[in-house]
Amino acid sequence: MAQAPVNVTVTGAAGAIGYALLFRIASGQLLGADTPVRLRLLEIPQAVKAAEGTAMELDDCAFPLLAGVDITDNAKQAFDGVNVALLVGARPRSKGMERGDLLEANGGIFKPQGEAINAGAASDVKVLVVGNPANTNALIAQQHAPDVPAERFTAMTRLDHNRALSQLATKLGVAVTDISKMSIWGNHSATQYPDLFHAQVNGRSAAEQVDHAWLEETFIPTVAKRGAAIIEARGASSAASAANAAVDHVYDWVHGTDDWTSAGVVSDGSYGVPEGLISSFPVVARDGKYEIVQGLDIDEFSRARIDASVRELSEERDAVAKLGLV
Ligand code: NAD
Ligand code: LMR
């Protein structure tokens, strides 16, 4: 018998990332070329019509793997039976706006969505939060889904990971495939720490192949502030590269990884990151689970940066706790 379709829900489906993401999901790039998918698009009422337009275009692609598209403004319906939930819908940061300003605006969105996932998701549900502030939005959703294993809630730092690969490859004149063990620690924000001390290029330490001034003064800030640089250049938040990273994150989660990658996952206290925070770590995917890479030595330089980003995550958690969201 043919495989039953996997239910994939995308929130913010009428937005810029949604537009770049849906066609890749429907073509089989998210779950593999043998896996049929049924799409559920969740939007706010004002954007349902635009989502319907995107669904018309999906129809017009005649994707062999697309088993259907449902559109709704009701979170309960959107997440009923969901296997893969991509929480993209949020308010993007505009010029001059700090991510902290987004906490209150976006926090309210992720509480009802977490509750709806708790109420209706399939037992194997996997959740990726893309909408910013992604780590803390993921925490809010996770906290309102007490019946779902916490490890199923993740936040996207794969775009930062891919940015780090690309910057390092360009600097050293190597292919991105020559790089292994890249990792992003902490928050998906300007405090994140892209780590070259564990990364390798052709099997040798990346940090030893670049000068320290470039690592500290160019590499780290370029990766960490890339989102803001894209907003400055495009006048809008990254969209196609964010959709690409979401595809990478879910594909690897489902299919497993050989190399390390980066994902915001619920901390088990590893590396001094307070338990329960959703922080980016070096991870591998095995048997449908992201696992934190264990046993790494963290030098003083890295420690200070990881601590700073984790401190910001703790502050975000405190801020949403004050709003009664966690
Ligand atoms: P966008 O404004 O183009 O689209 C957002 C969509 O979400 C809109 O269509 C809006 O109607 C919808 N929406 C708002 N509230 C909703 C709700 N409660 N339920 C369902 N839909 C809702 O924005 P975008 O460019 O697609 O970006 C989406 C989010 O992704 C932003 O928060 C952005 O900052 C974030 N982002 C994250 C990363 C990352 O690496 N984690 C990268 C890029 C962008
Ligand atoms: C990005 O990293 O491109 C985005 O998260 C930036 C943003 O704030 O929307």
Side-chain angles (χ1 to χ4, degrees):
M1 201 179 95
Q3 189 184 336
V6 173
N7 292 324
V8 179
T9 299
V10 178
T11 77
I17 295 176
Y19 195 72
L21 182 58
L22 291 167
F23 297 85
R24 296 192 58 183
I25 300 172
S27 70
Q29 289 176 290
L30 188 82
L31 296 171
D34 297 326
T35 307
V37 292
R38 177 179 294 280
L39 280 168
R40 301 260 180 73
L41 314 186
L42 177 67
E43 259 297 350
I44 54 174
Q46 309 88 286
V48 162
K49 193 162 168 38
E52 284 169 357
T54 305
M56 288 163 69
E57 284 202 71
L58 285 162
D59 282 346
D60 294 349
C61 294
F63 286 119
L65 291 172
L66 186 58
V69 185
D70 305 314
I71 303 158
T72 180
D73 60 8
N74 180 304
K76 284 235 156 62
Q77 280 172 17
F79 293 115
D80 188 36
V82 64
N83 304 105
V84 177
L86 299 170
L87 308 191
V88 179
R91 186 172 157 203
R93 184 173 60 167
S94 46
K95 275 188 191 179
M97 195 176 182
E98 288 307 318
R99 288 174 80 267
D101 300 337
L102 293 178
L103 280 172
E104 190 163 2
N106 283 315
I109 295 174
F110 290 85
K111 175 176 180 230
Q113 292 185 358
E115 289 167 347
I117 289 168
N118 198 53
S123 60
D124 67 347
V125 68
K126 289 178 165 60
V127 183
L128 169 62
V129 176
V130 175
N132 280 321
N135 300 56
T136 297
N137 287 340
L139 179 70
I140 294 167
Q142 182 269 318
Q143 292 280 308
H144 291 88
D147 302 329
V148 177
E151 70 196 28
R152 307 291 185 72
F153 284 82
T154 61
M156 191 166 92
T157 55
R158 183 62 175 262
L159 178 54
D160 310 294
H161 180 97
N162 289 345
R163 287 166 171 164
L165 288 174
S166 176
Q167 292 297 323
L168 181 64
T170 302
K171 169 72 177 171
L172 292 176
V174 299
V176 287
T177 47
D178 292 329
I179 303 172
S180 58
K181 299 188 173 176
M182 180 62 81
S183 56
I184 304 291
W185 299 80
N187 201 0
H188 171 67
S189 76
T191 68
Q192 67 179 264
Y193 176 53
D195 179 355
L196 289 192
F197 290 92
H198 295 103
Q200 298 189 341
V201 180
N202 292 316
R204 284 178 44 228
S205 163
E208 285 171 16
Q209 296 182 58
V210 296
D211 61 83
H212 190 83
W214 180 81
L215 185 158
E216 184 169 3
E217 290 157 29
T218 303
F219 173 75
I220 294 175
T222 299
V223 173
K225 295 181 187 165
R226 187 72 164 182
I230 302 274
I231 291 170
E232 189 60 37
R234 291 182 82 228
S237 190
S238 62
S241 56
N244 178 68
V247 169
D248 285 349
H249 177 114
V250 173
Y251 186 92
D252 282 352
W253 196 355
V254 171
H255 294 90
T257 56
D258 295 324
D259 189 14
W260 304 1
T261 183
S262 304
V265 297
V266 177
S267 177
D268 58 0
S270 293
Y271 301 104
V273 179
E275 219 177 317
L277 280 184
I278 297 193
S279 174
S280 189
F281 288 95
V283 294
V284 290
R286 281 199 203 103
D287 303 324
K289 288 184 183 171
Y290 271 128
E291 295 170 7
I292 298 168
V293 175
Q294 296 294 339
L296 303 177
D297 288 330
I298 309 291
D299 66 11
E300 217 175 294
F301 180 87
S302 301
R303 186 75 262 167
R305 282 157 184 79
I306 294 169
D307 286 350
S309 195
V310 168
R311 200 158 41 244
E312 182 184 54
L313 283 173
S314 296
E315 286 164 8
E316 288 185 11
R317 177 165 66 179
D318 293 348
V320 292
K322 278 202 190 110
L323 296 167
L325 290 165
V326 296

